[in-house]
Amino acid sequence: MTLRNQQNDTPVSIDRKNSTRIIVKWIIILVVMVGVYFWQQDLFHDAFREIAERPLYLDILSMSAALVYFLVEGGIISRMTKYAAARMPYWKGVKVALICAFYRLVTLGTGNGIMQVYYYNKEGIPVSEGTGMSLVQYTFQKITVGILGIIGFIILLCTGQQGILEYKKYLYLGVVMISLIVTALILITTSKWIAGLAERIVNRLLREGTRFADKRESLIGQIRLFNKEGRSIWGHPGMAFSIIGLNILKLGSWYIIPGILFFAGDMENMFISLCLMAVVFMISGVMVSPASIGTLEFVFILLYTSRVAEEVAAAGVILYRFFTWIVPFMIGAVLSGLDRGGRKRVEEDCTKAADASTVSKGEREE
C-alpha cells in the first residue's frame, strides 16, 4: 500500500519496525484470554449458557444497533471532506468505516488510521490533509466520549446508583483524566499558540541524544497537521457541532446495546444502562491496553454486576464485543476483498497494515 502526497508527489513511507510488537501483543492477548477462561471457567460456561438461551430478536436488535455506528461513521468520514481538496461520497464513507473496522482488529488499532488516509488519498485528497482530517475526526470522537461519560457519571451519581457509589473515588479520577484530555485536545485543535507550545515541549523532550529523538520530526509534523485541520473544522461552527452531534448518535448506537440485551422494554433501566455504558467507555478509554481490549471488559463487568448477575454481565460483554467488533470485521473483510481484487491482495494489505504503527509525516497512530 503506497500513500503519495499529491501536493509534491512525495511518497510517504510506512514504518514496518513494529510488526513484531503487534504480533507479540496478539500473543499476549490470546494467552491472557486462555488464562482468564481457565481461571473463570465456570463463569464462562454460565455466560455461554445464558447466550444460548437468549431470545434471537434481542440479538438481531443489538447487531442492528451496532451497525448503525458504521452508517453514522460513514457520514462523519464523508462530512470531514466537505472543505477538502476532494469530496468523499457518503456510501464510500460507510465502506471505508467498515474496512477500517477490519484493519482495526487485525492490527489492534494501528492500521485503522493508515487505511482511512489511504482511502482519502484514493479520492484525491493529499496525504497530509487526509492525515490531519483523520486526527481531528478521532479528536472529536474522544471529546464526545468524554462529554457523554461525564454527563452519564453525573446522572448516575445524582440518582444514587450503587455501582457508581461503590467505585466513585476511582471514577472521580477517571473524570479528571478525561477532562484534562478533552481540554488538551480542544486547545491544540483551536490555538496556534498551544500547538506551538506543544512543539516546543516535544523539541525539549526529544532533543538530540535522547532515546526517541528520531520521532521528533514526525510528532511535530502531526501536531501541525492536527492544529491546521482542527482550526479549519472549528472555523466552521456548524460543521464542528454537526460532527459532535453525529458522534453522539454514533456512540449512542453502541451504548444502547447492553440496555437492549439486559433491559429490553424497561425504558428507565435502559436509560440508566445508557449512562452506565457512557461511563464504561470513558473509564476504559483512559486505561492503557491495545485497542481497549481487556479494559472495557473489566470495567463493564465491574459496573454492570451492580445491576445484573455476574454471568449475565459476562454474557453481555461477550455479545457486545461480537456485535461491535467481529460482525463489522467480517463485513469489512468482504468489502476489503472486493475492493482489493481478491484474497491474495487482501492478505498483502493486511500484512502491510499490521506492520505499520506510524506513517512518517502523515499518519495517525490510534
Side-chain angles (χ1 to χ4, degrees):
M1 178 182 63
T2 302
L3 299 179
R4 185 171 294 274
N5 190 325
Q6 296 182 358
Q7 289 177 326
N8 55 20
D9 201 38
T10 302
V12 179
S13 61
I14 295 180
D15 180 5
R16 300 169 181 271
K17 294 180 180 179
N18 291 319
S19 58
T20 302
R21 186 179 301 174
I22 293 174
I23 293 171
V24 169
K25 284 180 180 179
W26 264 116
I27 292 172
I28 292 172
I29 288 170
L30 292 174
V31 169
V32 170
M33 287 173 65
V34 171
V36 170
Y37 174 79
F38 283 107
W39 176 45
Q40 296 286 348
Q41 197 166 2
D42 291 340
L43 175 61
F44 276 98
H45 287 170
D46 291 340
F48 287 126
R49 183 162 50 248
E50 178 72 23
I51 291 171
E53 294 173 355
R54 298 191 60 78
L56 180 60
Y57 79 92
L58 292 180
D59 294 339
I60 294 173
L61 284 175
S62 299
M63 184 168 63
S64 300
L67 293 177
V68 167
Y69 179 101
F70 297 95
L71 297 178
V72 181
E73 176 83 336
I76 295 172
I77 290 172
S78 174
R79 190 157 182 76
M80 290 292 296
T81 65
K82 184 176 182 179
Y83 300 104
R87 186 73 188 266
M88 178 177 282
Y90 169 72
W91 69 270
K92 282 191 177 180
V94 174
K95 184 182 78 170
V96 170
L98 287 163
I99 290 175
C100 285
F102 166 66
Y103 285 100
R104 182 186 297 117
L105 184 56
V106 170
T107 65
L108 295 175
T110 58
N112 180 49
I114 300 171
M115 294 310 298
Q116 188 166 326
V117 175
Y118 171 68
Y119 279 100
Y120 274 150
N121 189 243
K122 284 183 69 175
E123 290 299 308
I125 298 172
V127 169
S128 59
E129 187 176 7
T131 302
M133 290 191 300
S134 182
L135 283 165
V136 172
Q137 180 186 332
Y138 175 72
T139 298
F140 272 87
Q141 177 173 310
K142 197 73 174 178
I143 290 170
T144 309
V145 167
I147 292 171
L148 293 178
I150 293 170
I151 292 172
F153 176 70
I154 292 171
I155 291 172
L156 293 171
L157 200 62
C158 291
T159 54
Q161 300 302 314
Q162 185 60 37
I164 293 297
L165 295 175
E166 190 176 350
Y167 303 105
K168 66 178 181 180
K169 291 182 180 179
Y170 304 104
L171 297 177
Y172 276 129
L173 179 61
V175 168
V176 170
M177 290 177 66
I178 198 69
S179 298
L180 292 174
I181 291 170
V182 167
T183 301
L185 291 174
I186 291 174
L187 289 175
I188 292 176
T189 53
T190 56
S191 170
K192 289 187 72 173
W193 185 85
I194 294 294
L197 177 63
E199 287 184 36
R200 290 193 291 275
I201 291 172
V202 169
N203 269 320
R204 180 177 292 274
L205 293 177
L206 304 184
R207 60 185 180 274
E208 292 297 332
T210 58
R211 182 179 178 184
F212 300 105
D214 58 322
K215 304 291 184 183
R216 183 177 58 191
E217 292 302 318
S218 176
L219 284 173
I220 289 175
Q222 289 189 22
I223 290 170
R224 289 174 181 172
L225 287 171
F226 198 29
N227 179 256
K228 177 184 175 183
E229 294 301 325
R231 287 187 296 110
S232 174
I233 299 297
W234 286 112
H236 299 88
M239 181 176 177
F241 287 106
S242 70
I243 291 173
I244 292 175
L246 288 170
N247 270 300
I248 292 173
L249 177 60
K250 179 183 78 172
L251 293 167
S253 70
W254 276 12
Y255 290 0
I256 197 65
I257 292 174
I260 295 173
L261 292 172
F262 300 147
F263 312 112
D266 184 342
M267 298 307 295
E268 181 180 347
N269 275 320
M270 286 186 72
F271 176 71
I272 294 298
S273 175
L274 191 71
C275 296
L276 199 58
M277 197 60 188
V279 174
V280 169
F281 245 72
M282 176 185 70
I283 298 301
S284 64
V286 297
M287 297 171 72
V288 180
S289 74
S292 293
I293 294 175
T295 56
L296 185 140
E297 288 80 0
F298 171 74
V299 179
F300 185 103
I301 292 176
L302 192 69
L303 296 184
Y304 268 96
T305 47
S306 66
R307 304 194 63 81
V308 297
E310 189 177 26
E311 65 272 15
V312 176
V317 77
I318 291 170
L319 288 170
Y320 176 84
R321 278 302 195 190
F322 179 78
F323 295 138
T324 61
W325 276 59
I326 305 303
V327 172
F329 166 83
M330 292 187 294
I331 297 173
V334 172
L335 292 174
S336 183
L338 293 173
D339 193 53
R340 302 291 174 190
R343 179 178 176 181
K344 182 177 179 181
R345 185 69 180 275
V346 172
E347 291 173 350
E348 290 174 355
D349 278 354
C350 181
T351 301
K352 291 174 182 177
D355 284 345
S357 61
T358 59
V359 174
S360 63
K361 298 182 182 180
E363 188 245 337
R364 178 193 69 181
E365 182 174 357
E366 203 175 57

